[in-house]
């Protein structure tokens, strides 16, 4: 069996010529998500497949996971079709505690900012950020800034073929207003052990995602990113079924790589 790297938007690739196409690092899809999903739909054999990518590239999936009992970061959702005034956007922002403004379609912490309600200047920048996204037709999420991210980071749980392989810790990424430069924010990672409650939440999130998608088989690859609530329990920040970095260099490299290769081979 041979494998070769190709670029998703290369017009010269004959996708039907491959027994299987595996999405890996398509980090530039978010500004053209529709084009990306259409591309995925046109690839005859794709993992994770197009319906999974369509569902997962809009963080609106967090709402359905929450409705099915998965703990997620409390979120206020702003839709561009409502044509909210600046004042209306302002009233949606928390009065206490730092908060985050981010687009529902994004990757690599792009267009994601952290703001302080106590500062009029920071509030102004937050409103401007949200309004700019909405004016560009992009739906917006407002969340409390989860302060444990500053001390404990995020825990990323990597699954291959439905089985947990390893966890990695991602340090905090947000210090202030959104940066728009670059493809993704630089991420500082280290190895970490997943706890039993984290494994439970991650497994539940994946089970619900499969139910939502009407899928019996496990995902070829998945990463579940968790943060810690004030009471110490885990909650979901993001479920990555599209183009997750798997952080094999930080934990269980050989094991995970073998498992991924086996899972791909079994699908060919
Ligand atoms: N509510 C939040 N509290 C703390 N940090 C957050 C919050 N939302 C986002 N972040 C930070 O921003 C980064 C990117 O946000 P995330 O929701 O993971 O989107 P994506 O990785 O798809 O860009 C996270 O890794 C985290 O560092
Ligand atoms: Mg993330």
């Amino acid at each position: 069996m041979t494998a070769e790297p190709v670029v998703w938007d290369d017009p010269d690739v004959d996708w039907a010529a491959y027994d299987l196409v595996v999405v890996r690092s398509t980090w530039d899809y978010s500004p053209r998500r529709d084009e990306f999903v259409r591309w995925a739909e046109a690839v005859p054999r794709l993992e994770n497949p197009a319906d999974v990518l369509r569902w997962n590239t809009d963080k609106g999936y967090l709402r359905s996971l929450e409705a099915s009992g998965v703990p997620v970061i409390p979120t206020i959702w702003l839709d561009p079709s409502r044509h909210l005034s600046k004042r209306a956007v302002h009233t949606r922002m928390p009065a206490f505690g730092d908060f985050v403004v981010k687009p529902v379609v994004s990757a690599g912490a792009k267009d994601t900012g952290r703001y302080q309600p106590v500062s009029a200047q920071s509030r102004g920048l937050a409103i401007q950020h949200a309004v700019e996204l909405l004016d560009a037709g992009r739906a917006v999420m407002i969340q409390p800034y989860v302060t444990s991210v500053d001390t404990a980071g995020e825990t990323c749980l990597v699954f291959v073929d439905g089985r947990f392989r390893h966890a990695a810790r991602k340090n905090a990424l947000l210090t202030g207003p959104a940066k728009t430069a670059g493809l993704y924010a630089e991420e500082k990672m280290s190895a970490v052990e997943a706890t039993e409650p984290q494994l439970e939440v991650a497994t539940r999130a994946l089970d619900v995602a499969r139910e939502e998608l009407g899928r019996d088989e496990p995902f070829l690859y998945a990463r579940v990113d968790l943060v810690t609530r004030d009471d110490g329990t885990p909650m979901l920040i993001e479920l990555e079924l599209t183009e997750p970095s798997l952080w094999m260099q930080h934990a269980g490299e050989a094991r995970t790589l073998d498992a991924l290769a086996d899972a791909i081979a079994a699908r060919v």
Side-chain angles (χ1 to χ4, degrees), residues 154 170 223 225 238:
E154 251 173 273
K170 183 186 290 183
R223 202 188 70 215
D225 294 347
E238 181 180 17

Side-chain angles (χ1 to χ4, degrees), residues 29 59 73-74 99-100 102-103 106-110 112 141 143-147 149 154 170-174 187 223 225 227 237-238 240:
Y29 81 80
K59 289 194 173 74
I73 301 180
F99 63 95
V100 172
K102 58 184 167 186
S106 181
K110 259 192 91 94
T112 299
M141 305 162 72
Q143 297 178 333
Y145 186 84
V146 179
T147 51
V149 172
E154 251 173 273
K170 183 186 290 183
N171 279 1
L173 290 175
L174 303 181
E187 294 171 333
R223 202 188 70 215
D225 294 347
V227 295
I237 175 166
E238 181 180 17
E240 246 297 356

Side-chain angles (χ1 to χ4, degrees), residues 123-187:
R123 264 200 331 266
L125 288 171
I127 295 167
Q128 189 188 332
H129 179 189
V131 167
E132 276 172 15
L133 290 170
L134 291 167
D135 283 350
R138 302 174 71 183
V140 170
M141 305 162 72
I142 300 175
Q143 297 178 333
Y145 186 84
V146 179
T147 51
S148 64
V149 172
D150 287 337
T151 49
E154 251 173 273
T155 307
C156 307
L157 283 75
V158 172
F159 291 75
V160 172
D161 216 9
R163 285 195 53 203
F164 172 69
R165 306 303 317 190
H166 63 258
R169 173 189 155 148
K170 183 186 290 183
N171 279 1
L173 290 175
L174 303 181
T175 48
K179 299 188 191 73
T180 47
L183 203 53
Y184 52 84
E186 184 70 31
E187 294 171 333

